[in-house]
Amino acid sequence: MGSTFWITNALLESGFHYENNVAIETITEKVHIIIDNGFITAIVAASTPLSDQLPKKDARNLLILPSFIEKHCHLDKTLIGDSWRSCRQVANRIERCNFEKNLLPTLATTTKERAEALLQVLVNAGSTHIRTHVDIYPEAGLHYLEAVQQALTTFDGRLSHEIVAFPQHGLLRTNSKDLVRAALREGANLVGGVDPAVIDGDIEASLQQMMDIAVEANVGIDLHLHDPSHLGIFTMRRLAALTEDAGWQGRVTISHAYGLGEVSLAEAEDVADMLVASNISLITSVPIHGPIPPIDLLRKKGVPIAIGCDNIFDSWSPFGNGDILDRASRMAERFNWIDEQSLAQTLGFITNGKTPLDQMGKRIWPNIGDEASMVFVEASCSAEAIARRSRRHAVMYKGNVVAGELNAVE
């Protein structure tokens, strides 16, 4: 297939059908699309005769959606590709970290092999951008970073990626600042951190050291924050203050942020205003049970929010399938987003806000000039795809089919 070709008979969303000012159904249209060197250069109605000699791939009336973003995973931890094992019960997070540290070197498979196995799962499910955290601590050095980089090299041309240098055992607790700096020099893109209170035992020093490293290397931050209730809220406030002081607005993310789900809505609203002012984003793995930030409130306030699968069959959890669409469906289910428009808008949590329709029902994707990274889904609309976790037949990244297949038209 050449670099310029038609995708024929693709289903696109074009608006909502309303009753009493409520969207009750998504309107779609069938189109043909020209892909040229990885970008969309024409969109025409499927009734338009195609008289040129460009190659064609038949979408067979499948719905096309923007390809997905897996915003929080751990390629170095996964056991996918290795033998089945359930998880051990442990007393606390530190004990879990130590158990994992001792287990991973004993596995028959390599970190690279397991990371590649998980990457294939992620791509098959529709993700073409991955943010992975990679453990950095003295006993491992940069071993996991190097293995994950090798696995990602295998997937060149099939996805894009970010790597977070993640001192899981504590930035202060294991004195890992120089290792994190080394990881950034060797290709990691962001500084990670974890529970400045419970793991590191010093909120101020832990956050300050993380920020210092980020500013020194001119990179962003992604902090794992499991610390509960007001302890977690205090940590968020200090991180926001440091973000303002460093001028790091728009470059800081908090993953999990469980504490936001354990305080009053009034306090959560106040913290939301602070996060918006500092342009700090949140990532949630949408836990089935336990605390979760009040996503409805945060979204209305304008806090940028994304979803990540996090643990995908590893020492922390025997669950997880690497399907970010499945995780978005869980989000809608947990917050009872059951109407057409709410379900459709849920897609934005796994596409960096990119949805086919805006809240008013105007089509905003795809447009001429957009990158041709998309998922071909067996669904009538985004709402169905989210609610029913619809089957993906093919995944395209920058104009290349990287999972599944589209039939060539003779």
Side-chain angles (χ1 to χ4, degrees):
M1 181 64 67
S3 61
T4 305
F5 59 94
W6 285 99
I7 296 175
T8 60
N9 304 312
L11 201 62
L12 278 187
E13 298 178 35
S14 56
F16 290 123
H17 174 65
Y18 294 89
E19 284 189 6
N20 299 319
N21 295 318
V22 176
I24 63 167
E25 183 182 10
T26 303
I27 301 168
T28 58
E29 59 180 324
K30 192 163 40 170
V31 300
H32 304 321
I33 300 172
I34 288 184
I35 308 297
D36 184 14
N37 290 308
F39 292 90
I40 295 170
T41 57
I43 303 172
V44 302
S47 58
T48 304
L50 303 182
S51 56
D52 59 49
Q53 300 303 308
L54 289 175
K56 300 175 182 64
K57 285 182 176 288
D58 190 357
R60 296 169 294 163
N61 302 321
L62 293 169
L63 178 72
I64 62 170
L65 299 175
S67 61
F68 308 149
I69 296 171
E70 166 52 72
K71 203 67 172 178
H72 185 125
C73 67
H74 295 266
L75 293 177
D76 59 326
K77 295 180 181 297
T78 189
L79 302 178
I80 287 180
D82 203 88
S83 58
W84 157 255
R85 66 191 68 222
S86 55
C87 289
R88 298 275 185 90
Q89 296 289 349
V90 296
N92 53 51
R93 189 165 289 113
I94 291 175
E95 189 175 321
R96 175 69 69 195
C97 288
N98 289 331
F99 175 79
E100 178 185 62
K101 178 171 66 174
N102 294 326
L103 171 69
L104 291 180
T106 71
L107 298 176
T109 51
T110 67
T111 302
K112 176 178 179 288
E113 289 169 339
R114 297 189 301 275
E116 288 174 343
L118 177 52
L119 283 166
Q120 190 61 62
V121 168
L122 295 170
V123 172
N124 289 347
S127 292
T128 62
H129 182 82
I130 312 297
R131 176 180 287 190
T132 180
H133 297 254
V134 175
D135 284 5
I136 305 293
Y137 57 91
E139 294 90 337
L142 301 184
H143 166 74
Y144 292 124
L145 173 64
E146 293 162 357
V148 165
Q149 287 174 318
Q150 291 167 9
L152 287 165
T153 298
T154 304
F155 279 75
D156 277 352
R158 287 185 270 176
L159 53 80
S160 54
H161 67 270
E162 305 166 89
I163 300 176
V164 183
F166 177 41
Q168 175 176 264
H169 300 261
L171 185 60
L172 302 182
R173 187 168 167 268
T174 59
N175 192 25
S176 293
K177 62 180 182 298
D178 288 337
L179 271 176
V180 170
R181 288 187 174 109
L184 294 168
R185 289 195 298 270
E186 293 302 317
N189 312 103
L190 298 100
V191 177
V194 61
D195 297 341
V198 169
I199 300 296
D200 267 344
D202 188 329
I203 295 173
E204 195 66 27
S206 181
L207 291 178
Q208 186 66 66
Q209 192 170 105
M210 181 179 66
M211 182 62 74
D212 287 347
I213 295 170
V215 171
E216 174 188 293
N218 193 26
V219 298
I221 287 171
D222 191 335
L223 171 70
H224 282 64
L225 186 58
H226 315 93
D227 286 348
S229 191
H230 291 93
L231 183 61
I233 297 299
F234 178 82
T235 303
M236 292 180 216
R237 292 187 185 280
R238 288 303 304 140
L239 179 58
L242 290 171
T243 299
E244 296 280 347
D245 290 345
W248 235 238
Q249 297 93 330
R251 305 185 71 177
V252 176
T253 299
I254 301 173
S255 289
H256 305 307
Y258 294 142
L260 272 169
E262 299 176 295
V263 296
S264 70
L265 284 179
E267 184 163 6
E269 185 171 4
D270 183 58
V271 174
D273 289 335
M274 177 195 71
L275 295 172
V276 170
S278 301
N279 197 8
I280 293 175
S281 60
L282 297 184
I283 297 172
T284 178
S285 61
V286 197
I288 290 177
H289 53 77
I292 185 173
I295 301 299
D296 266 327
L297 169 65
L298 298 169
R299 179 167 60 169
K300 288 174 184 175
K301 283 285 186 177
V303 178
I305 302 168
I307 296 174
C309 285
D310 196 7
N311 301 107
I312 305 168
F313 179 34
D314 57 19
S315 300
W316 295 71
S317 172
F319 308 114
N321 58 9
D323 186 345
I324 199 66
L325 182 66
D326 181 86
R327 199 58 62 103
S329 182
R330 183 195 290 183
M331 171 91 90
E333 190 170 3
R334 175 147 191 185
F335 288 97
N336 198 33
W337 299 336
I338 60 174
D339 62 276
E340 189 85 358
Q341 196 169 42
S342 296
L343 285 165
Q345 290 299 305
T346 303
L347 185 71
F349 290 108
I350 60 172
T351 59
N352 198 28
K354 189 185 298 182
T355 55
L357 302 175
D358 66 16
Q359 293 191 9
M360 303 303 295
K362 179 183 177 182
R363 196 178 85 194
I364 56 175
W365 182 92
N367 288 303
I368 306 303
D370 283 348
E371 182 180 285
S373 296
M374 59 189 75
V375 187
F376 296 78
V377 184
E378 190 176 320
S380 63
C381 59
S382 296
E384 181 183 5
I386 291 289
R388 303 307 306 157
R389 299 161 163 89
S390 298
R391 178 185 173 192
R392 276 124 284 171
H393 284 258
V395 181
M396 179 173 285
Y397 176 62
K398 295 185 176 180
N400 295 311
V401 176
V402 294
E405 61 180 2
L406 294 175
N407 294 333
V409 179
E410 298 297 331

